Amino acid sequence: MRWALVKVSLAVTAMVVVAFAVPLGLVIREMARDRAFSNAEREAAAVAPALSITTDRDQLERVVASAGSDAAMAVHIPAGDGSGALDIGERRAAAEDIAAVRKLGRASTSAVSGGSALLQPVALSTGEIAVVEVFVPESEVTNGVGTAWAVLAGVGVALILGSVAVADRLGVRMVRPAQRLVEGAHELGEGKLGARVPEEGPNELRLAAVAFNSMADQVVQLLANERELAADLSHRLRTPLTVLRLNAASLGDGPAAEQTRAAVEQLEREVDTIIRTARDAKPQTAAAGPGAGCDAAEVVRERMAFWSALAEDEGRKWRVAGADRPVRIPVARADLAAALDALLGNVFRHTAEGTAFAVDVHNGEDAVIVLVSDAGPGIPDPERAMARGRGSGSDGSTGLGLDIVRRLAESTGGDVRIGSSVLGGTEVRIWLQLDGRERAPRRRGHRGTVRRRRGPSRLTASFNRPRSLP
């Protein structure tokens, strides 16, 4: 489209330049010819008064010398009463042409060697007709024509190049928004829901970009609703089941207690089946687009307020750090809440009552890190736990919790690591990249901490500071 516009502009401009430059060039050549012959007529007119007074050779030679160059002017006087014909100066025109001008009595031009000759008739006092011949060289007829044509050609080339440049810029202005719209459509079709198109360019393309972005926002919202529904399954089913299991464990012995515990276990298995089905049916999409971010500190405070009631019932000490100030992250609020509930639910499910836990939020320049740690026995095989978090669930565990956390982190270009916490148990580290780009490779350090290859940063150094529970 861009090159087609350039070709059309080139063709149109070239035709316009030719349509104007060619006639203008011919007019310039004709003007130069008229100028040369006008000068010749003025020189001939300067001799006419002298011829009407006298035909003396010496006087006429002086008049011719003062009127113009001897080499360019000649005077032809016919034979009269008692006098012969008189020719002053070099004759270039043919005798027949001179005789025709004398007979007709009007000026004429004739082609001669090296140019043209202006033949001007002049009446003598004797009644005879003399002819003044003025030579007009070809160089004088074309004087300045070549320069004028060169200027016209330069102007024409400049106009063509300028029109091509303008057409190219206009083509870019039209083509780039169209290309971005196509690329955005491809990215959205590939599941990259963060694809958006700049709303710029011509009015039609700008309206198309607005419609595309609106459609993409609606798709993101619809998929976010599905993700929130899946998170609700975890919130509304797994969390009450955890409470039921803990309460059933405190019933003691007896047939009713055993039946209750068996029913809870069966219910957990059924819920695991439902969650696995929901997870398998949910499309694997990219991270949500612009506008889907949230305040991580606010979400952490909200979820800790929910879990703190159960923690008090079980005598667990808990702590929240780094959530006193807003921390913006490029993920949906429901996704972060689901990830936190999954990790905190694992703490209550897999550690004994009275086990302390903590949630820390670290805000850096290019990343936000959320740490969920506990004082339990730890995870003996973190690799197996991460494999379970990639869909290889086992009895009693769907693997949904770590899978939710992993996909949340990877949607921003980050990742999830499992290590040892300062409390002595497990620490799950969620690295959320703020700009959505792949971060630099990292190596494991002291107590499972993660350091960037370029050296410890202020954010990384803060991980290793031990914090005491209240």
Side-chain angles (χ1 to χ4, degrees), residues 47-277:
V47 180
L51 287 173
S52 62
I53 297 173
T54 181
T55 58
D56 183 69
R57 184 183 187 91
D58 293 337
Q59 293 183 2
L60 290 177
E61 285 180 352
R62 288 195 295 269
V63 172
V64 168
S66 61
S69 174
D70 294 340
M73 181 180 293
V75 178
H76 308 291
I77 302 175
D81 296 339
S83 63
L86 178 63
D87 291 324
I88 301 173
E90 180 182 359
R91 188 181 71 178
R92 291 181 175 83
E96 293 81 2
D97 295 335
I98 296 174
V101 169
R102 183 178 288 121
K103 180 179 180 180
L104 296 175
R106 62 171 180 266
S108 176
T109 60
S110 62
V112 297
S113 177
S116 301
L118 173 66
L119 302 177
Q120 179 71 43
V122 178
L124 299 177
S125 59
T126 60
E128 299 293 336
I129 301 297
V131 177
V132 179
E133 176 186 348
V134 180
F135 175 65
V136 181
E138 188 66 27
S139 59
E140 187 174 349
V141 174
T142 60
N143 183 29
V145 175
T147 302
W149 283 4
V151 172
L152 283 177
V155 172
V157 172
L159 288 175
I160 293 175
L161 294 179
S163 67
V164 169
V166 172
D168 181 70
R169 291 300 91 195
L170 291 176
V172 169
R173 185 173 177 267
M174 295 178 61
V175 170
R176 281 184 179 175
Q179 290 178 342
R180 290 169 180 168
L181 187 60
V182 172
E183 293 172 358
H186 281 302
E187 291 179 359
L188 187 64
E190 293 173 356
K192 299 178 181 178
L193 302 184
R196 294 295 183 275
V197 179
E199 299 174 1
E200 58 185 21
N203 186 54
E204 293 78 6
L205 292 176
R206 184 167 61 253
L207 293 177
V210 171
F212 176 84
N213 292 338
S214 177
M215 177 191 67
D217 291 338
Q218 292 181 5
V219 171
V220 169
Q221 185 62 40
L222 290 175
L223 293 179
N225 292 338
E226 292 186 4
R227 292 160 68 116
E228 289 177 2
L229 180 60
D232 286 342
L233 290 175
S234 177
H235 295 167
R236 299 177 184 180
L237 297 178
R238 292 303 299 271
T239 301
L241 283 177
T242 301
V243 178
L244 286 176
R245 182 178 57 81
L246 295 174
N247 291 338
S250 64
L251 293 178
D253 298 329
E258 292 299 329
Q259 290 177 2
T260 301
R261 283 190 284 269
V264 171
E265 291 178 358
Q266 182 180 359
L267 184 57
E268 284 186 332
R269 287 193 295 271
E270 294 296 333
V271 171
D272 290 346
T273 302
I274 295 174
I275 294 176
R276 282 197 184 98
T277 303

Side-chain angles (χ1 to χ4, degrees), residues 22-36 138 140-146 148-149 152:
V22 172
L24 187 58
L26 296 177
V27 169
I28 291 174
R29 186 181 67 177
E30 195 64 28
M31 290 177 61
R33 177 181 178 85
D34 291 343
R35 182 182 64 248
E138 188 66 27
E140 187 174 349
V141 174
T142 60
N143 183 29
V145 175
W149 283 4
L152 283 177

